[in-house]
Every structure is written in structure tokens, then in C-alpha cells.
Amino acid sequence: MSNGGSYDPHAVEAEIYEFWEAGGYFHAEPNAERPPYVIDIPLPNVTGALHLGHALNNTVQDTLIRYHRMRGYEAMWMPGTDHAGIATQAVVEKQLKETENITRHELGREGLVKKIWEWKEDYGGRILGQLRRLGASCDWDRTRFTLDEVCAKAVYEVFFQWFKAGLIYRGLRLVNWDAYLQTAVADDEIIHETVKGKFWHYRYPVLTEEESAGLAAPAMREMPEDVARKAIARATGEDARMGTDYLSVATTRPETMLGDTAVCVHPSDERYQDLHGRYVLLPLQNRAIPIVADGLLAKMELGTGCVKVTPGHDPNDYACGQRNNLAMINILTTDGKINENGGAYAGQDRYDAREKVVADLESLGLMDQIEDYEHDVGHSDRSKTPIEPMLSKQWFVKMADLAESAMEAARDGRVTFYPQRYEKTYLDWLGEKRDWCISRQLWWGHRIPVWRFTGVLSAERVPDVEVTLQTWIDEEKVWHEAFEEHKDFQQRSKTILANTGMKGFFCPRPDFQRAFAEFAQANGFEQDPDVLDTWFSSALWPFSTLGWPDNYGKRFRDSGIEGLSEAPATQPSTLNPQSSIPASDLAYFYPTTVLVTSRDIITLWVARMVMTGLHFIGRVPFSHVHIHPVIQDGQGRRMSKSTGNGVDPLDIIQLYGTDALRFTMAQMDSETQDARLPVDYICPHCEAEFGQKPHHYGRKTVKCEKCKQEFATRVAGADLHEKHGLGLTTSPKFELGRNFCNKVWQASTGFVISNLEGTKGQRDAGTQVGADALGVEDRWILSRLAGAIGEIDRRFARYQINEVANTLYNFFWNDFCDWYVELVKPRLFERGTDGKVQPKADASADVARRVLAHVLDQSLRMMHPVMPFVTEALWKKLGAVAPRRGLSELRDAEPALIKAAWPEAGQRDEQVEREIDALQDVIRALRDTLARINTSRSGSKQPAIGKLPRAVIRADASIADGLAAQVTVLERLGRCEQVEVGADVTKPDESATQVLRGVEVYVPLGGLMDLAAEKKRLQKERNALNGHLERLTAKLSNEGFVSKAPAAVVEQERGRLAEMKDRLATLDRNLADLGG
RNA sequence: GGGCGUUUAGCUCAGUUGGCUAGAGCGCAUCCUUCACACGGAUGAGGUCACAGGUUCAAGUCCUGUAACGCCCACCA
């Protein structure tokens, strides 16, 4: 009755997905009858292509969404893409350079942005298409893009409100400056290269207390010529002493000394105790700069222990400057020349200035030593030129209060992490409360909606735009003004400009931004050129996608939800329909239920969503955060494109199908932080040899010698797949998923469904199947089913998706296929008089078919969230032969599995489970005996026997009857011609013996094999048992254990001891029979 | 440097509030083309739970330390 052929995923996947989309099953609407269950997708980049991280991440989300959809929630999975500022702009710029050989400067801002939009229209949907191939049941109707109008509206509203509230300010920050491309570069765009350089050691003269009297830190003063000359003379004199007359410092970038604003020593450095609070002379600039004690910057054991501090051009020094309230000076222009702060060196290229500074220090006699030095220098990945850390003005969001509220939400459990340990990452990061730099020197993104006056207001008020040291500091306190009305702006702006020396920043309310922009342009205002950090828009995703801020207040009032902050967060684990109909998407779908992501964006994204959600909506954006592992290759390295060690999920889908990929992914979602996945490579050579379809590979090793070589190259770093279009990537792990899909397919089509076809099993609609009509194996599989459903529910609640997958696997494969199917076969078929097998038509067979249909029905429901395609396909097939299913009562099955009800966990029947457990033990004992006989026979070159001729089973009275009723099953599954069961049977002579719990299994050998081997085996078993028994006896005779352990545990151990003693006695008795 | 994590069978990993005679898949060995499935069935071998201490009646599980490996963050005047 072979159904023929394995499961072919490609034959069903496209069609099934279309069926779901056409049926509108993915779409969710506010619905008073159902509680919402909402997940926001972690936004993939528009530039992105699906990788294994996505496969894992989205498999988990889809599994959760499908599970809850089946449980009756209004399940909504919000899809979308991120405009990914830097990444996208870089991709398009690169493309422009290659195809049209133009740079963005040639194209101009508007031109470039237009090009990127064109690119986005062409390629932006690719990643979403690939998510569809994963089976993702996203609500595609709601697809958003962080740069689209809806999201932009929220972005500008948030910016405006924060600006108005004084939470956004402009401040100094060190950026990685690419002087060639004249742009700031992100940290991850920097490559470190070791270069040969020099290490210059030179002196800063110490000023006497008298000379520096009246200098108040942090202010710096120009020192009079003569004072400077005297100080230098002391520092270079014959008897000049380090630590008294001068401090020696060292650097690889001597030109930065022009911007030094302090020298730093360790606070507990004995050598410089008396210098704390004193000043040194900064030569060449003749400026007094303070000596500060800072244990975080200076290290006593390194060099002289003195460090020059250049807050404007070094990240560590910058941090030191902030801690010690030092002045910060920028000495570079955007194209890498020394600016006006560099005094005599202004206008020179920084490398020319370096030589000049060195020469001048030498001529002053301050240069001590020049060493050759190899060190790492950050280079821009794009221009390959050295990065200059440079101070620049950036926009920031104040974190103090926002971070505190987000921390509180985690501490009081409004946001819970699964696994819990990741809460620490979140709290630690927020605890630093570092202000969030939100401006980026890019063109692709939300442009910062701030204008400032750069024109001429009136003849007598020409603003002094010269950037001096003082204005850098003063601008921190400059007037920030947010305008709510257009005419309000016209009126007040003039007053403000007059009052502030025209250094105000103006942020108009979003809804008259357009009108403002026109006015601004005509009146000498310029918009800030920068765009917002990409994370700024993604931080708003949970509510921006739902239409905030449109009619925000009104809709919430209409829905009867007042005092939002008091409203409880959605509890995902309980079905609790709300009574009033929420009027808007925002009111209904916010907060979302769970965020599923990997740990690297806990800080960048998770924490920020919580902050914005709390601030603007008054509720956390999600109740749960599930952090899943990061997938690594077989050597424990992170999979990445550049190393070429990644597995492409689309390759896996091609080879094994989507469900196989998903099952294996689900199985990897454990609580560990990394999961390894050994990578294999299949080359076209092999494919040609073994054929296209994966099942043609069979168990053969797919790697031919040629492939092995190519694979080795690939692992070493070459991305052959990408560069040469060769072969496919895979991992043996996916065979597990593939095999399971096939097993489900075979058992369903080849056994269950084919047995239901054309039988009367499903015709008796309306009749009840009472508990008494069920066979013991029926009750057993129903009990196991109940156990599996309960287990899966518990695992889902804790986001242990790997255990969900394992439970499905074990139930379906081990319990259902290996045991139940085999146990019911005798009830379904009989051998006719002609010797042919035919279906039985009696009541027991009808019940068996009904149970089979029911258990398959329930299994498909259970497996659907993880393996949606194969189960939906089988659901249709099952529906065709058994449209009405059920146990106590037949009901019409739902037309689509995706929307079918999740099964209820029924009662377990422990009595029956014990009974079948005993039966299985006996069957295994019989099979084992047969296998050992055949092994022994093959050793002595005798032919194998197909069946045992006879077995005698002695069982304790309590289970003897149960076993006796199963003689047919024992004969069939134990592969034995004749089985005899009883409480008082006689042991046949020369028997192979197995001693189980309360059961002895005798197989008369009659020369089938050597008895000595049997004796040896029993002795080994006896010794092992005896060891356990001794340990248990010791445990139970330990007074501490008996008195302190819980009574139930003691009782359990006593029972186990008695059982062991019993078994040992039986083993001894049987050994005695064998003359041992 | 700071933080987090991992170390259990040849490989990849499970192991719940401590109660374990430590499990799975792959691989391995032997047998089976028996009427769903060779992407299969059956049976078996294989482990001092990294190491050293400690807590406890009881430790794979909790604590401390050591070692190796990995990830994230900060950075090397």
C-alpha cells in the first residue's frame, strides 16, 4: 500500500502560502471578541538579504504568532523594513561610483536621496519576499518603512515634543572624521591597521605657583612672553628635574598638542602629589593648562605616568575632559587642516603641522626622545585614510529620566526578559545614562527638523559667527525654541533673534513645518544638514506603525480607555477579552506582547523602545522580551558574509524545504547564548552526480574530493558561493528537520489517511465513542497526546521553543509512529482466506480509525506553528477522507489549519501509561533477545532467524492479566511465534532470561545460541545492579537522609530499593539456574 | 580592561524549584528491502558531567576559585 514518494516541499509550499494570503488569515483588526497578540518584527535593513539569524528570529516569531492565532487571539505580526542610514547610503554610493562613476558630492543631496529612493523601490522588497518563503504570516497589509510618511510623522512629533521639553540639546561629541570624504564615520566602518610610526617624548614646563596664581581651572590663559620664556628655560636647564621643572609626556600625534587642555597624572602617584591643581605651560601656544589627577586616564606604571590631554581629538581624553570639566578645543578643519585654534600653525595640513611642531619643540630644547613605534590606527573603510577623532556639534537626547523610567519598568516586571539573565545587560547599559547622540552626518534619513538663522537680520546686527573657544561653550546654553504656531513663530522669532545674538535653534511643530520651511528659506534660516540616527525611528516602531500621533487623544477617549498609564499591560498567557471595543489600532494593538530578538540590540533598540513607549504612550511597548541564541559556525565563529562561513537559508529551503529549516531553527532556540551549526558545502559537481533533489543524496557523503578542496578554501575565507556562484551551503543539522517532515508526511498519507479512505470508520456520524469502546492502546495514545499538549503549552509560556520542537518530535515519532501505529495494526487488517491483507470492518477497527483520525487531527494542529506547510497540506488531505472528526463526537473540521483551534490538553491516564510501559519493556526484551541470538549466530556463521520460536513470560499477579490480554501484540511486535504469559508459568530449560520490573522473560534457546554468553551478560547486569543497590542502601541507612529529606523522596527511594532487591534476587535465581 | 556566557557520549546539544541508575539527534556496530516510511525499522556499544575546593541528607544542577573557549561593550598616551 505504498503511497509512493517522499514529502516534496516544493510541490506544496507556494500553493499553501497563496491559500493563506488569499484567505486573509494573516490580517488582524481590532476585535472586541478576542484579546490581541502582537509582535513587531525586528526591522531588517532594506539593503539586507535573508541570513540564518533572520531564519531563526522569524521562525520563532511566526511560531508564536501561529500558536496564539490558533488559541483564539487576534494575532498581528507587524512587518516592515528599516532605512538603515549608513548601510543603505553606502550601498547606493558604491553602486553610483561603479556604474556611473559619480560621487554624492557631484550628485548633490537631493539627487542622491532620489537615487536611493529609486534603489529602494527596486530592491527594498526583496527581504520581505524572502520572509514569505520562510512562511512568515505577517500582516502584510500593514507593512511599513521607517522612512515612509506614517513613520516620519511620528519621528517629527517625537522630536518636536522632546525639543520643546528641553530633552534634546546640542553638544560636543567626538566623532570619527574621515578628512578625505569629509564625513563622520560610524564605529563599525573603521578598520584597524598596524602602521609604523614614531613615539615622541617631550617636556611641558611646570609653572610656579606664583606664575599661575589667579588662573582658575578650567580657564586657560595666554601667558606673557617672558613668563613662558622663563618656564622653558627652567625646563631645559642643566639641572632641570622631571616632576618639578617639567613633566614629560609622549604621543604618536604631536600636532594634537596644539589642542591640549591639561596634563593628567594618577591621583595616587607619589611622584606628582604636590603638582595637583598646578599648571604647566603648553609650549608653542604659550598657554597655561592645568595638571589634573584622574585615575581613569593616567596609569602610574606606564612611562612617566603623565599623559597629555587632548579632549578635542582623543576619545579617552574627551572622557577625561568631561569628568574634569576641562576646556575642549577643536584644532582641525573638516578637510584635515589646522584651524584658527592652532595659532601659528593655522592653515597647514595636519601632517605638515606635525613636522613643524616637532621641529619647533626641538629648537626650544623640549624634545627628549623619538622612538620608532608600531601601533594600530583606525582607517576609514571607505576612503582608506586615517581617521581623525574630532569634536563636532551634535544633537543629543538627555537620558537621565528616560533611562530611569525604562529601568523601573524592568525592575517592577512590566518588561520581563526570557531568559531572565538578559535583564542585566539592559539595566547595566541604561544605568550609565549616557546621552543619546541622535545626529548623523548623512543624507539618507529623517532630516533634523531644526533651523537656525545664518543670514542678516538687519544692518546693525550682523551676527558674529566666528567660532571661538568661548562660543563653543556658550552655544551649549543657547536658546532652543519650539514653535507651536506659524504666526507665533514670525512674531517671536524676531524678538528671540534680537535677544540671543541670533544663535537660536528653531524647531517648528510638525504640522506647519512645510510653511515654516518656506518662511525660513526666505528669511535667512538654514536647516540642520544632519539626519537622525536610524535607531531614532526604530525606537518609535511599536506606536509609529499604529498611526500615532494622529487623533491619539481622541481615539483613546473614544475607546473609553482613560488614564493609559494605569491600564494593565496585555498578558499574553491568558485569554481575557476586553469588554469595550477599542476604536483604534493603537488602542487595541499597543502595547505589543513580545519582542523576539538577539542580544546584540538589547541596548540599541529594546531599551530605546521602552523609553519612548513610556514617555509618549505611558505604557511599555511590550511585556516580554525573548532573546534567542546567536548562530555560529562549526568552529564557534559568528556567521558573517565577510568570513564566508554562513549558511544561506534559501539554500536550505531549496535542499530540504521550509518546514525542515524551521523545525531545525526552532530546535536551536534554547536558552544558551550561542548555538553552533557545522557548515557543509555542496558543489555543482556533486549535484550533477547525485541529482537535484535532496532525497537522492541518500546516505552518501555528498562531498567529493573536488568539493572538499573548494570547501576548505571557502572556510578559509573565500566566499565561493557568492563570488563564483558555486554550489550550496548546508549543515547536517537540517537533515533532522527534513527527516521529521518526511516522517509526518509518510505516516499521515501512507498510513492514517490511506486507512481512512473508503472505510466506514468515518461514516458513523453522531455516534458516541464511549470510554469503554476504546482499547488500551487508544487510551494510551490519548493520554500521551494530553501530556504532549500540556508540555507544549508550558514550554511556549517560557519561550523554550526548542523544547516545543522536541516534544512534537518525540510524541509523533516515538509514541505515535513507533508504538501506537504498530499497536493498532492488528485491529485494522486481517489476512483473508486468499492470504491477502484486507481491512477489517468490525467495531474495534472503526474505533481505531476514529482514534487515528483524531490523533492525526490533533497532531497536525500541534505541529502547525512550527511546520506550517506540511501540516496545512496534510490537513487538506485528511479533510478529504474524514471531513468530520472527533472522539466523543464528530464535528466538521475547520477549513484551514492556520485558523483551527489549538487542542485542549485532556486528562492523562497514568494507569494505562504504566500498563503500556510494561508491555513495551517486554517487547524490547524479546527484540533484544532475538537480536542477540542473531548476533551470536552471525559470529558463528549460522543464518539469522526471523522470529523467536517461543517465549514464556512470568509476571507478577498485578500485571499478568494485562500482559496476557496482549499476547497477539507481544507475538507480533516481539517477533515471536508463540508467547505464553502467566503468574505461575514454568521456566523452560536452557532459556535466555531477561529480568524486568516484576516480569521475567524466558526464551528457550534450544541450541539457537551459546548459553555461556547469556550467563556472562546476566552476571554483568547483576554486578551493575548490585552497585546501584549498595549505594542506595547506604543512602537509606544514612540518618541524615531519612530525617531531613522530604518524606516523598525517602518513600520513593525505599520503593526503588525494594524493587532492586527483588530484581537482584530474581537475577541470582536465574544465574543459579545457569549454574552460576 | 569591564560585563555576559559556555565547558555533559566521537560531533551538535538537552537536562525545569538540587532527588539521576545522566538523555536526544547525527555518527558508529549488528540485524532487517515484514503490507506508511531506507529521509525507514529493530537492537546495542559509547559519559569520573573541564579542573580544584565548598554548601547540603543529597550537586550535572547552588557557591568560590582555576583553566580553556566564545560573545558584547570600552579601549591601548
Side-chain angles (χ1 to χ4, degrees):
Chain A
M1 208 195 310
S2 173
N3 192 263
S6 309
Y7 170 57
D8 179 6
H10 307 297
V12 305
E13 284 176 8
E15 190 191 323
I16 295 280
Y17 199 84
E18 212 168 282
F19 165 73
W20 291 327
E21 283 210 283
Y25 296 110
F26 300 165
H27 186 64
E29 282 294 330
N31 181 338
E33 307 292 311
R34 303 164 181 276
Y37 184 89
V38 187
I39 299 180
D40 282 336
I41 206 166
L43 305 171
N45 291 355
V46 270
T47 55
L50 198 69
H51 57 67
L52 262 194
H54 291 125
L56 173 61
N57 179 251
N58 291 293
T59 293
V60 171
Q61 293 177 80
D62 193 46
T63 298
L64 289 167
I65 282 283
R66 287 177 185 269
Y67 170 65
H68 287 91
R69 190 183 286 126
M70 290 176 78
R71 287 186 61 193
Y73 288 82
E74 188 70 19
M76 197 274 273
W77 187 9
M78 168 70 73
T81 46
D82 191 292
H83 65 278
I86 295 167
T88 312
Q89 185 172 323
V91 164
V92 176
E93 274 190 59
K94 194 179 164 199
Q95 201 186 19
L96 281 171
K97 186 78 195 164
E98 281 168 5
T99 59
E100 302 173 42
N101 195 26
I102 45 174
T103 67
R104 72 165 196 275
H105 299 289
E106 289 160 346
L107 201 56
R109 183 167 190 140
E110 273 181 36
L112 181 76
V113 170
K114 191 164 162 268
K115 284 278 181 197
I116 301 176
W117 270 110
E118 283 167 12
W119 184 90
K120 190 257 168 191
E121 295 308 322
D122 287 348
Y123 298 100
R126 192 175 43 169
I127 182 89
L128 299 180
Q130 292 180 333
L131 285 181
R132 285 177 162 88
R133 293 204 59 197
L134 264 187
S137 59
C138 295
D139 191 346
W140 300 113
D141 299 348
R142 296 180 181 274
T143 306
R144 296 251 70 89
F145 177 52
T146 48
L147 219 50
D148 67 22
E149 259 183 65
V150 172
C151 292
K153 205 160 195 174
V155 164
Y156 292 127
E157 180 70 21
V158 163
F159 191 97
F160 173 75
Q161 292 206 18
W162 271 350
F163 190 92
K164 195 176 148 195
L167 286 172
I168 287 182
Y169 68 92
R170 205 160 126 92
L172 288 169
R173 180 191 168 88
L174 268 197
V175 296
N176 309 304
W177 194 259
D178 180 332
Y180 178 78
L181 293 175
Q182 301 203 30
T183 181
V185 171
D187 289 348
D188 59 6
E189 283 193 302
I190 293 175
I191 44 173
H192 290 272
E193 278 176 22
T194 305
V195 298
K196 284 181 184 164
K198 299 247 192 281
F199 204 37
W200 285 271
H201 299 257
Y202 56 89
R203 302 176 181 186
Y204 285 163
V206 174
L207 294 171
T208 63
E209 299 207 34
E210 194 178 67
E211 284 165 344
S212 55
L215 293 176
M220 296 170 301
R221 297 284 165 79
E222 295 271 342
M223 297 306 286
E225 275 290 317
D226 59 319
V227 174
R229 208 177 308 119
K230 266 190 264 170
I232 292 172
R234 281 198 307 277
T236 53
E238 284 285 309
D239 53 352
R241 292 203 345 256
M242 166 67 187
T244 309
D245 300 313
Y246 66 92
L247 292 180
S248 181
V249 296
T251 180
T252 57
R253 294 182 298 158
E255 74 281 7
T256 61
M257 64 84 68
L258 298 171
D260 281 5
T261 58
V263 167
C264 177
V265 297
H266 195 279
S268 41
D269 195 329
E270 304 263 320
R271 293 170 287 184
Y272 311 116
Q273 287 296 321
D274 54 336
L275 291 178
H276 296 177
R278 297 266 302 273
Y279 289 78
V280 293
L281 177 82
L282 183 68
L284 310 185
Q285 297 277 58
N286 282 356
R287 200 158 67 205
I289 58 175
I291 299 166
V292 297
D294 187 324
L296 291 175
L297 183 66
K299 292 191 183 113
M300 287 187 274
E301 65 281 5
L302 274 178
T304 59
C306 301
V307 195
K308 67 193 266 307
V309 186
T310 323
H313 297 282
D314 182 280
N316 283 330
D317 294 3
Y318 176 70
C320 174
Q322 285 202 310
R323 285 193 294 271
N324 297 286
N325 200 21
L326 298 175
M328 314 232 173
I329 307 180
N330 178 27
I331 59 159
L332 290 179
T333 61
T334 54
D335 59 351
K337 295 199 173 81
I338 304 294
N339 71 11
E340 65 279 6
N341 291 323
Y345 304 86
Q348 298 180 18
D349 181 83
R350 63 195 184 285
Y351 293 111
D352 297 338
R354 176 174 298 176
E355 285 175 24
K356 195 85 196 315
V357 164
V358 170
D360 291 348
L361 285 171
E362 267 174 343
S363 68
L364 286 175
L366 290 166
M367 186 63 69
D368 278 332
Q369 190 192 346
I370 305 173
E371 317 174 46
D372 288 328
Y373 194 66
E374 269 193 13
H375 60 131
D376 277 356
V377 175
H379 286 69
S380 166
D381 194 21
R382 280 190 277 156
S383 72
K384 313 296 176 200
T385 56
I387 287 292
E388 296 295 336
M390 189 152 91
L391 270 183
S392 73
K393 303 302 289 285
Q394 304 287 337
W395 291 98
F396 289 85
V397 177
K398 284 184 191 160
M399 281 295 107
D401 293 344
L402 292 169
E404 190 55 47
S405 70
M407 291 171 79
E408 197 50 40
R411 287 199 211 98
D412 66 18
R414 276 174 291 155
V415 175
T416 317
F417 284 82
Y418 296 84
Q420 211 216 323
R421 65 172 185 275
Y422 291 109
E423 184 185 301
K424 196 169 157 30
T425 308
Y426 171 94
L427 288 176
D428 285 354
W429 184 78
L430 282 173
E432 290 179 26
K433 297 182 182 173
R434 268 201 283 184
D435 286 350
W436 176 14
C437 178
I438 52 170
S439 45
R440 294 293 126 97
Q441 291 68 52
L442 291 171
W443 290 348
W444 176 242
H446 298 279
R447 189 157 174 186
I448 291 178
V450 168
W451 280 255
R452 70 165 165 174
F453 184 71
T454 55
V456 178
L457 191 68
S458 67
E460 64 269 31
R461 278 205 166 272
V462 178
D464 177 13
V465 291
E466 192 179 321
V467 180
T468 63
L469 202 60
Q470 211 50 43
T471 56
W472 278 89
I473 295 163
D474 276 1
E475 273 192 80
E476 306 268 346
K477 302 173 212 147
V478 104
W479 197 313
H480 288 49
E481 189 72 5
F483 292 101
E484 309 231 26
E485 302 276 344
H486 190 189
K487 54 177 205 271
D488 176 39
F489 164 74
Q490 302 219 17
Q491 201 73 52
R492 279 165 56 204
S493 59
K494 288 185 180 160
T495 327
I496 290 159
L497 286 171
N499 291 342
T500 61
M502 296 161 219
K503 284 184 300 225
F505 290 96
F506 305 96
C507 179
R509 205 173 72 187
D511 52 356
F512 71 94
Q513 227 172 62
R514 191 180 297 266
F516 178 90
E518 280 167 26
F519 168 87
Q521 201 173 13
N523 289 278
F525 287 79
E526 264 180 26
Q527 186 173 3
D528 195 293
D530 291 353
V531 299
L532 289 165
D533 179 12
T534 303
W535 295 107
F536 193 92
S537 50
S538 18
L540 318 178
W541 189 251
F543 51 90
S544 67
T545 52
L546 295 172
W548 184 91
D550 280 351
N551 301 318
Y552 167 63
K554 179 179 165 291
R555 288 199 184 181
F556 272 84
R557 276 192 301 278
D558 290 350
S559 67
I561 300 175
E562 296 280 351
L564 275 176
S565 51
E566 278 88 48
T570 308
Q571 291 299 321
S573 52
T574 52
L575 272 167
N576 188 16
Q578 287 165 296
S579 50
S580 64
I581 301 174
S584 75
D585 286 349
L586 185 62
Y588 183 74
F589 291 121
Y590 189 97
T592 71
T593 314
V594 59
L595 183 77
V596 179
T597 188
S598 64
R599 65 184 183 283
D600 47 351
I601 53 174
I602 290 174
T603 55
L604 294 171
W605 195 42
V606 180
R608 284 167 182 166
M609 280 193 285
V610 176
M611 291 189 293
T612 61
L614 285 169
H615 191 262
F616 290 102
I617 314 291
R619 296 167 80 180
V620 293
F622 31 74
S623 316
H624 296 168
V625 180
H626 172 47
I627 304 293
H628 57 67
V630 168
I631 298 179
Q632 302 175 333
D633 70 4
Q635 282 92 50
R637 300 173 306 184
R638 195 185 181 113
M639 284 187 177
S640 81
K641 252 200 164 140
S642 49
T643 17
N645 60 343
V647 170
D648 187 338
L650 296 175
D651 286 357
I652 304 303
I653 290 176
Q654 185 184 327
L655 285 168
Y656 300 131
T658 299
D659 288 333
L661 170 66
R662 290 173 59 119
F663 188 82
T664 296
M665 287 289 104
Q667 229 202 6
M668 292 181 83
D669 184 17
S670 68
E671 294 191 359
T672 173
Q673 83 172 357
D674 303 306
R676 287 188 187 194
L677 190 77
V679 180
D680 274 339
Y681 174 64
I682 301 171
C683 84
H685 177 72
C686 284
E687 278 194 310
E689 198 165 63
F690 296 115
Q692 279 290 325
K693 287 192 178 175
H695 62 263
H696 289 164
Y697 292 119
R699 293 195 158 187
K700 292 171 189 167
T701 305
V702 290
K703 279 185 285 176
C704 66
E705 280 310 310
K706 189 182 157 202
C707 297
K708 275 181 187 163
Q709 268 181 11
E710 285 173 0
F711 184 62
T713 323
R714 181 190 176 84
V715 166
D719 193 341
L720 292 175
H721 186 49
E722 191 74 10
K723 287 184 183 142
H724 309 295
L726 291 176
L728 299 167
T729 50
T730 183
S731 171
K733 279 213 165 192
F734 294 105
E735 287 174 13
L736 171 75
R738 185 267 317 257
N739 293 354
F740 187 49
C741 290
N742 187 56
K743 187 72 176 178
V744 170
W745 181 263
Q746 293 293 351
S748 304
T749 60
F751 187 80
V752 180
I753 292 171
S754 60
N755 268 298
L756 295 171
E757 271 165 357
T759 66
K760 72 184 276 285
Q762 292 294 316
R763 273 184 284 141
D764 49 355
T767 58
Q768 301 262 319
V769 173
D772 51 344
L774 294 171
V776 62
E777 61 275 4
D778 296 335
R779 283 183 285 139
W780 175 77
I781 194 64
L782 293 169
S783 176
R784 300 295 292 172
L785 175 68
I789 296 169
E791 179 71 4
I792 288 169
D793 286 337
R794 282 190 294 279
R795 296 302 189 172
F796 263 124
R798 284 186 284 170
Y799 298 96
Q800 292 169 343
I801 308 301
N802 62 322
E803 293 297 343
V804 168
N806 287 335
T807 307
L808 290 172
Y809 187 94
N810 292 331
F811 170 74
F812 195 83
W813 201 313
N814 300 336
D815 290 342
F816 184 66
C817 293
D818 290 349
W819 287 102
Y820 182 70
V821 164
E822 296 305 326
L823 287 168
V824 288
K825 275 181 180 171
R827 289 163 62 189
L828 296 171
F829 315 114
E830 61 191 351
R831 207 167 278 278
T833 44
D834 56 355
K836 281 190 179 168
V837 173
Q838 53 189 12
K840 280 190 183 177
D842 59 13
S844 167
D846 286 343
V847 171
R849 288 188 196 100
R850 188 143 165 181
V851 173
L852 278 173
H854 174 71
V855 174
L856 181 59
D857 170 288
Q858 301 283 294
S859 301
L860 292 176
R861 290 173 199 258
M862 275 158 60
M863 293 187 286
H864 181 262
V866 180
M867 310 149 72
F869 290 105
V870 66
T871 50
E872 187 76 75
L874 288 168
W875 186 259
K876 286 180 194 293
K877 285 179 177 285
L878 179 62
V881 295
R884 291 169 64 74
R885 309 188 280 272
L887 206 57
S888 56
E889 154 185 20
L890 288 174
R891 287 202 192 132
D892 287 331
E894 295 99 324
L897 178 55
I898 186 175
K899 201 83 179 189
W902 182 255
E904 292 283 324
Q907 281 294 310
R908 292 189 76 159
D909 186 337
E910 287 178 25
Q911 169 62 31
V912 160
E913 290 205 30
R914 273 197 299 273
E915 222 172 286
I916 297 293
D917 216 30
L919 181 71
Q920 289 173 334
D921 282 347
V922 175
I923 290 169
R924 283 194 197 100
L926 291 168
R927 286 166 170 174
D928 179 31
T929 306
L930 178 63
R932 275 185 295 108
I933 287 171
N934 280 334
T935 305
S936 149
R937 288 173 70 83
S938 97
S940 53
K941 305 243 156 68
Q942 291 173 280
I945 56 167
K947 282 189 168 187
L948 296 169
R950 177 163 172 252
V952 175
I953 293 157
R954 192 209 60 78
D956 289 357
S958 57
I959 50 176
D961 286 350
L963 281 178
Q966 298 287 352
V967 164
T968 326
V969 165
L970 288 171
E971 286 172 354
R972 184 189 155 86
L973 299 188
R975 305 202 59 76
C976 186
E977 297 286 357
Q978 189 210 341
V979 171
E980 190 185 326
V981 181
D984 294 305
V985 291
T986 338
K987 173 182 177 182
D989 287 339
E990 304 211 325
S991 286
T993 307
Q994 299 247 12
V995 178
L996 313 171
R997 272 174 302 173
V999 179
E1000 286 157 78
V1001 177
Y1002 302 120
V1003 175
L1005 289 174
L1008 288 170
M1009 70 177 278
D1010 186 14
L1011 266 180
E1014 189 63 9
K1015 187 174 146 191
K1016 211 171 155 190
R1017 186 186 62 85
L1018 279 181
Q1019 261 162 352
K1020 198 179 157 195
E1021 198 177 326
R1022 198 211 91 100
N1023 290 342
L1025 183 64
N1026 199 40
H1028 292 312
L1029 195 137
E1030 276 170 12
R1031 253 172 285 150
L1032 194 55
T1033 311
K1035 192 177 187 181
L1036 277 162
S1037 51
N1038 179 344
E1039 184 51 36
F1041 175 70
V1042 179
S1043 60
K1044 289 187 184 171
V1049 173
V1050 176
E1051 202 46 49
Q1052 180 193 316
E1053 298 290 40
R1054 286 207 171 111
R1056 200 181 285 167
L1057 182 69
E1059 202 181 284
M1060 279 189 194
K1061 277 184 173 164
D1062 194 45
R1063 268 192 75 202
L1064 191 68
T1066 315
L1067 273 170
D1068 282 338
R1069 181 160 44 76
N1070 281 293
L1071 271 167
D1073 291 345
L1074 288 166

